[in-house]
Amino acid sequence: MSKFILNVTCPTRRGIVAAIATHLADNGCNIIDSAQFDDVDTGRFFMRVTAVSETGSTLADIRAGFEDVAAKLEMDYDFHDAGENMKVILMVSRFGHCLNDLLYRWRIGALPIDIVGVVSNHLDYQKVVVNHDIPFFHVPVTKANKAEAEARLRDIVRDSGAELIILARYMQVLSDTLCKEMSGKIINIHHSFLPSFKGANPYKQAHQRGVKLIGATAHYVTADLDEGPIIEQDIVRITHAQSPEDYVALGRDVESQVLARAVHAHIHRRVFKNGNRTIVFPASPGSYASERMG
């Protein structure tokens, strides 16, 4: 059986679910997981379906026959082979906790992705990356060579066929042009619970304000710095007795977990952009299982 994922977005109206289910059933497919959301504020409908072909229909057959259904209901849609791993590039500077966490999850099969390269403006993690048999690209960035460095990054993305860039604490701002070119395909982890405490030193700001909760935010990168649609967030409780350094140490764990959850949602096609917000559907049964659970 061939498993696939269908993502649908369209204006809300009666009969959408019935039309999708009927088409899949008529083509020998069994729906094994489904989630939907009707946004009454925007009048948009969102749906994610996981199905298996039980009668030999190929994904190409199912996709071709779906065009008439989609046209009638004004759908934007995509079919994805659930067995195909997304090609991903990781980018990192000098904080390696998110990078190491992603590499571990990838290594045990908890994140089914193909890491086609790691890009860094420093050499700190070259050995770690190479030891995983992953291509490492050192792309130094200065004020003088920023345009050339980004051109190099574009070449790496194109040559590797990467579908997603993950900024695993990459401490350089990407250009507006690149953000627009790869809209919805760059995920950043921000070491703060956005929208509060933006900028370079959020933990110091949080400490100065005496907050009792700190957190992290994973979001899509846009031309507006740290303003992109939020995918995942989480927090950790702290006390008045803890220092800014404690905040940083506690924050590392939250950042790693939040980024991994955001990546998991994206690669399983669970995230839908809805204006400046996102719809994030629950994970399908079994999608968190890994090859090595120890």
Side-chain angles (χ1 to χ4, degrees):
M1 293 187 294
S2 175
K3 183 189 291 187
F4 63 88
I5 298 168
L6 168 62
N7 288 354
V8 169
T9 304
C10 64
T12 184
R13 64 179 71 181
R14 291 191 304 273
I16 300 170
V17 176
I20 293 171
T22 298
H23 175 78
L24 295 180
D26 288 347
N27 282 272
C29 298
N30 181 31
I31 295 174
I32 58 175
D33 183 59
S34 179
Q36 66 192 65
F37 176 69
D38 192 345
D39 188 343
V40 296
D41 294 329
T42 63
R44 300 291 292 174
F45 177 85
F46 304 85
M47 189 171 186
R48 177 187 182 274
V49 174
T50 306
V52 292
S53 172
E54 297 181 335
T55 59
S57 295
T58 66
L59 190 53
D61 295 334
I62 299 165
R63 182 186 286 113
F66 194 73
E67 291 179 1
D68 290 340
V69 177
K72 291 176 184 177
L73 295 171
E74 302 176 75
M75 291 180 180
D76 294 321
Y77 69 96
D78 283 304
F79 284 90
H80 305 280
D81 186 338
E84 272 187 20
N85 289 348
M86 188 176 292
K87 293 182 178 181
V88 169
I89 281 179
L90 309 180
M91 298 185 69
V92 65
S93 290
R94 287 195 144 150
F95 299 98
H97 50 287
C98 289
L99 171 68
N100 282 298
D101 181 78
L102 292 173
L103 290 174
Y104 174 74
R105 293 174 191 268
W106 162 75
R107 191 169 66 247
I108 68 170
L111 277 181
I113 54 179
D114 289 340
I115 303 177
V116 294
V118 174
V119 176
S120 181
N121 52 328
H122 299 283
L123 291 168
D124 300 50
Y125 297 102
Q126 181 181 29
K127 186 175 180 180
V128 171
V129 172
V130 171
N131 284 347
H132 282 82
D133 293 323
I134 296 171
F136 180 85
F137 302 94
H138 180 221
V139 184
V141 181
T142 66
K143 290 182 180 180
N145 81 336
K146 199 168 183 66
E148 291 82 357
E150 196 157 279
R152 173 64 175 139
L153 173 59
R154 278 193 181 86
D155 290 341
I156 294 168
V157 171
R158 184 191 65 245
D159 295 343
S160 66
E163 305 162 79
L164 175 68
I165 294 177
I166 302 170
L167 305 183
R169 292 303 302 273
Y170 180 71
M171 309 304 287
Q172 293 289 328
V173 177
L174 301 179
S175 72
D176 293 357
T177 302
L178 183 61
C179 293
K180 291 173 182 175
E181 286 176 6
M182 297 198 65
S183 176
K185 297 180 180 179
I186 306 176
I187 296 177
N188 184 41
I189 183 65
H190 187 81
H191 46 306
S192 176
F193 195 70
L194 292 176
S196 299
F197 306 124
K198 301 176 186 177
N201 287 298
Y203 290 125
K204 183 177 180 180
Q205 297 173 49
H207 182 260
Q208 291 172 342
R209 291 290 300 274
V211 303
K212 299 300 182 282
L213 296 170
I214 59 173
T217 302
H219 63 93
Y220 287 119
V221 173
T222 63
D224 296 320
L225 183 63
D226 298 334
E227 296 284 351
I230 292 170
I231 307 169
E232 180 63 50
Q233 293 181 293
D234 207 349
I235 55 173
V236 61
R237 182 167 291 278
I238 48 84
T239 75
H240 64 277
Q242 289 167 321
S243 68
E245 291 74 23
D246 291 328
Y247 285 25
V248 172
L250 291 167
R252 288 193 192 105
D253 290 338
V254 182
E255 292 164 28
S256 299
Q257 293 170 34
V258 167
L259 181 57
R261 292 203 294 265
V263 172
H264 187 277
H266 182 92
I267 65 173
H268 286 96
R269 319 286 181 176
R270 296 193 283 114
V271 186
F272 292 70
K273 291 179 67 178
N274 185 22
N276 198 41
R277 298 179 294 157
T278 60
I279 309 298
V280 184
F281 286 126
S284 297
S287 65
Y288 281 109
S290 61
E291 298 165 3
R292 291 160 49 190
M293 294 300 291

